[in-house]
Amino acid sequence: MKNFSKSTIYQIYPKSFCDSNGDGVGDIRGIIEKLDYIRSLGVDYIWSTPFFKSPMNDNGYDIEDYLDINPMFGNMEDVTELITEAGKRGLGIIFDMVFNHTSTEHEWFKRALAGEEKYMNYYIFRDGNADEPPTNWQSKFGGSAWEYVPSLGKWYLHLFDVTQADLNWDNPEVRNELKKVILFWKDKGVRGFRFDVVNLISKPEIFRDDEEGDGRRFYTDGPHVHEYLKELVADTGIEDMLTVGEMSSTCIDHCIRYTDPGEKELSMCFNFHHLKIDYKDGEKWELQRPDYDKLKDIFREWQLRMQEKNGWNAVFWCNHDQPRVVSRLGDEHKYWKESAKMLACSIHMLRGTPYIYQGEEIGMMNPHFDKIEDYRDVESINYYKILRESGKSKEEALHILGERSRDNSRTPMQWDNTKYAGFSEAEPWISLPEDREGVNVYDQEADEDSVLNFYRKLVKLRKEYEVIRDGSIEFIFDSVKEILAYKRVGEDGDILVLNNMSKDEVSLPQSIDMTGRKILLSNYDESRISGIDVLRPYECIVIQ
């Protein structure tokens, strides 16, 4: 399988990227308009979240037709032009394949509801009484993972929203249908695929109650998941294309198997363990201060184990489901710029393929919505009700959403400092943050010291230095909680990466002698000629 260590991927959430026709919703032509900007970042691929035909109950992750385009975003001609124009600029397009479930508006599911046995076998139906679900499993969006269909006298499984029915991957006909989807888009010139929650596709043979949790231990990294992935990749001939799997609640051993080139499953995978360090008792909707010791432990374990066993990580802080990292782990005020740069450096120098989510490269922050009516995300709206019913006050529930909601990352891309941030000439589908001065592309293009230009330097360094791409990794200074420090060791020399994760000055356990060394990158102006004893607030330094 092909190595993608030299690549950097830029993620787009089309609905919030750029509106080309003035309806307040981003679209495919908006992406085309910004291809030169994306190319200027130095990235190699664009991953777009789904713009297929969909009722949009989960913002496109509830697909009604895998081979048709949602008119909200454009048409097939627009997609063809996007693929062609991106290719002219040396950019590959990665499509997002949501193969764990379809929308209940999909033709397959409609025919299943009509009682057609062929299509009922495309999904996971179970007999049962109307007041007794087959198991006590919980949906990841809240409530039961089962929905009763009175006309059939059966329940269907939906691990996510009630309008997202899980597919039955044990049915070879389903697997063949999904292979046709891959081949269709591959023929159109798509150069990579991201597979949504792909480690959930293989369900257990016997469904039973979970007396310890919400059911995920029974279907995560399921019994045939590796077998089905190998089959999908082999039968569609995508083993040398960029493929990345989103892995929900996974473990390292499985991710090694998913990404070991010898297994011929995926190029790399996303895991989210490092983004749960501020979950109190592991619960997303319970807040706590970030646990930096835990963060370092997770990075160390995943980096070293994947290195040892020939696995490969997709490395990232942000995506369309996560809060903005500057708001989460950085500083929105005095050290906004320094913390945004440090967080970028800490990820991009790791072993793995880095991902940049739209707006991350300009240091965008959470919008801090102050009323539930500002939210659009189905998960957030569901959990606001659950939080209120559990006894949280309105203010407490809104504060939790302000920290956790997926809408934090879905506000419009900030292109300039005009009324709607250059995203649209009309009021956007979701509100913009009120405090966004200087946090836009136009202002930062003109500032050599901007967060935007810092990201460009990071992408360029990966292409220039073999040690960043393919070198091994060793972690140092573990005793200092606030410092994330590591060495990359390669054939063209070594580099040392120092990151202060805190707003305070932090002393190093030992001084770094700068004799014979040079700084490749730093987020502070002042040079360190003789040595480094202390890291300033949110300081990062890359030393050759």
Side-chain angles (χ1 to χ4, degrees):
M1 296 181 78
K2 188 177 175 183
N3 181 312
F4 293 97
S5 62
K6 194 174 183 177
S7 301
T8 302
I9 290 83
Y10 188 78
Q11 186 198 348
I12 288 176
Y13 189 71
K15 195 173 181 181
S16 298
F17 189 63
C18 180
D19 171 20
S20 71
N21 60 2
D23 64 358
V25 177
D27 46 49
I28 297 164
R29 298 215 64 81
I31 301 174
I32 295 169
E33 288 180 8
K34 299 297 183 180
L35 285 174
D36 287 337
Y37 165 76
I38 297 169
R39 183 58 195 150
S40 79
L41 300 174
V43 301
D44 305 277
Y45 290 86
I46 298 169
W47 154 34
S48 173
T49 57
F51 41 60
F52 307 114
K53 191 175 181 182
S54 164
M56 299 296 287
N57 290 316
D58 188 22
N59 276 301
Y61 282 87
D62 48 327
I63 294 175
E64 181 179 341
D65 188 339
Y66 292 104
L67 308 181
D68 199 4
I69 306 304
N70 189 332
M72 173 190 296
F73 297 119
N75 54 42
M76 190 64 76
E77 289 72 26
D78 294 330
V79 173
T80 301
E81 184 177 343
L82 171 63
I83 294 168
T84 300
E85 290 300 319
K88 289 178 182 177
R89 293 163 173 82
L91 296 166
I93 298 293
I94 299 171
F95 271 17
D96 207 326
M97 296 288 104
V98 187
F99 282 174
N100 177 69
H101 47 262
T102 73
S103 167
T104 51
E105 292 298 311
H106 197 291
E107 182 67 19
W108 301 339
F109 194 78
K110 287 181 177 179
R111 296 179 74 168
L113 289 185
E116 291 189 44
E117 186 176 359
K118 170 184 169 75
Y119 290 99
M120 289 180 69
N121 289 331
Y122 273 36
Y123 296 91
I124 299 172
F125 282 93
R126 292 292 183 270
D127 294 323
N129 299 322
D131 58 352
E132 189 177 351
T135 70
N136 65 352
W137 296 2
Q138 294 295 295
S139 159
K140 292 179 183 290
F141 288 172
S144 174
W146 297 94
E147 181 70 8
Y148 188 67
V149 183
S151 63
L152 298 174
K154 295 178 183 291
W155 297 79
Y156 70 85
L157 181 68
H158 62 92
L159 295 181
F160 295 87
D161 188 58
V162 67
T163 64
Q164 294 167 296
D166 279 53
L167 286 164
N168 176 20
W169 273 69
D170 292 334
N171 182 347
E173 290 185 79
V174 169
R175 301 200 300 274
N176 288 333
E177 292 278 12
L178 299 177
K179 291 170 195 172
K180 292 176 187 175
V181 174
I182 295 291
L183 291 170
F184 177 86
W185 290 114
K186 181 183 174 186
D187 187 59
K188 291 279 187 185
V190 171
R191 287 176 49 197
F193 297 96
R194 182 258 192 190
F195 295 100
D196 186 63
V197 293
V198 73
N199 66 321
L200 309 186
I201 59 175
S202 178
K203 307 305 192 289
E205 291 183 17
I206 299 172
F207 288 73
R208 63 183 191 270
D209 283 345
D210 188 350
E211 305 299 341
E212 301 175 16
D214 59 8
R216 70 183 64 194
R217 66 193 178 100
F218 294 130
Y219 57 74
T220 300
D221 302 311
H224 300 289
V225 63
H226 295 284
E227 170 191 338
Y228 292 158
L229 274 175
K230 284 179 171 67
E231 178 186 312
L232 180 72
V233 169
D235 289 357
T236 56
I238 59 172
E239 60 270 8
D240 288 323
M241 295 175 70
L242 191 151
T243 52
V244 56
E246 180 193 31
M247 304 299 171
S248 175
S249 303
T250 191
C251 68
I252 296 180
D253 289 336
H254 277 290
C255 284
I256 289 167
R257 288 187 64 188
Y258 291 131
T259 62
D260 179 347
E263 296 286 340
K264 298 198 173 187
E265 294 184 19
L266 299 168
S267 311
M268 64 195 79
C269 61
F270 294 114
N271 79 83
F272 300 91
H273 295 72
H274 65 299
L275 296 176
K276 298 178 181 180
I277 59 163
D278 51 2
Y279 288 15
K280 186 177 181 181
D281 299 323
E283 296 294 331
K284 175 176 178 175
W285 302 98
E286 294 290 338
L287 307 180
Q288 70 172 21
R289 293 179 63 83
D291 184 338
Y292 291 109
D293 280 331
K294 187 174 182 180
L295 176 70
K296 290 169 61 174
D297 287 344
I298 291 167
F299 276 147
R300 185 187 310 107
E301 183 180 16
W302 277 83
Q303 287 280 304
L304 296 180
R305 285 285 307 283
M306 293 287 268
Q307 173 176 272
E308 177 189 357
K309 299 293 185 179
N310 207 26
W312 195 254
N313 288 300
V315 291
F316 71 105
W317 287 122
C318 300
N319 65 27
H320 60 288
D321 287 334
Q322 296 292 330
R324 293 290 183 179
V325 72
V326 176
S327 299
R328 191 174 193 175
L329 300 179
D331 187 307
E332 294 187 327
H333 305 292
K334 182 177 180 180
Y335 297 111
W336 163 75
K337 182 186 287 188
E338 289 83 359
S339 65
K341 292 180 178 181
M342 180 278 296
L343 289 162
C345 177
S346 65
I347 279 288
H348 280 251
M349 294 295 106
L350 288 171
R351 180 182 180 272
T353 298
Y355 284 67
I356 302 169
Y357 176 65
Q358 65 182 52
E360 180 183 353
E361 77 274 21
I362 55 172
M364 281 180 63
M365 295 172 280
N366 291 347
H368 303 293
F369 292 146
D370 58 8
K371 54 185 184 295
I372 190 60
E373 291 77 15
D374 288 333
Y375 287 93
R376 302 289 180 266
D377 172 40
V378 60
E379 180 192 39
S380 301
I381 294 167
N382 285 350
Y383 267 95
Y384 178 78
K385 295 174 185 174
I386 292 170
L387 290 167
R388 295 286 281 121
E389 289 167 0
S390 72
K392 301 286 188 187
S393 69
K394 176 182 174 182
E395 290 73 22
E396 288 173 325
L398 286 171
H399 176 64
I400 292 170
L401 258 63
E403 297 290 327
R404 292 284 189 262
S405 173
R406 301 190 301 178
D407 279 341
N408 286 317
S409 61
R410 298 177 181 183
T411 58
M413 178 67 179
Q414 294 162 197
W415 296 103
D416 59 33
N417 56 12
T418 56
K419 182 177 181 181
Y420 297 129
F423 164 74
S424 177
E425 295 179 359
E427 184 175 354
W429 69 278
I430 188 171
S431 299
L432 285 147
E434 291 184 7
D435 182 12
R436 57 179 191 271
E437 184 178 352
V439 189
N440 65 76
V441 172
Y442 179 82
D443 287 343
Q444 293 192 28
E445 285 281 15
D447 178 8
E448 179 59 32
D449 189 44
S450 66
V451 176
L452 173 59
N453 283 312
F454 191 84
Y455 268 85
R456 287 180 171 133
K457 292 172 185 175
L458 284 168
V459 174
K460 186 179 179 185
L461 282 176
R462 176 166 289 268
K463 287 178 166 48
E464 290 178 349
Y465 288 88
E466 176 272 340
V467 65
I468 298 173
R469 301 190 300 273
D470 299 315
S472 62
I473 190 166
E474 303 169 7
F475 287 83
I476 60 172
F477 300 160
D478 291 342
S479 62
V480 185
K481 178 174 68 174
E482 300 87 356
I483 296 177
L484 174 63
Y486 50 87
K487 291 180 181 178
R488 300 296 309 278
V489 180
E491 294 179 1
D492 63 352
D494 305 344
I495 62 168
L496 176 62
V497 184
L498 305 173
N499 300 284
N500 179 3
M501 306 287 290
S502 81
K503 67 180 186 305
D504 302 312
E505 284 194 352
V506 179
S507 297
L508 298 179
Q510 64 185 66
S511 178
I512 305 294
D513 183 3
M514 291 301 293
T515 305
R517 293 172 169 163
K518 71 174 182 177
I519 293 177
L520 293 181
L521 193 66
S522 173
N523 61 347
Y524 275 80
D525 290 336
E526 299 94 330
S527 62
R528 302 292 195 97
I529 298 172
S530 56
I532 302 172
D533 301 296
V534 173
L535 291 183
R536 289 162 285 195
Y538 297 106
E539 184 169 16
C540 65
I541 311 174
V542 180
I543 303 166
Q544 187 182 26

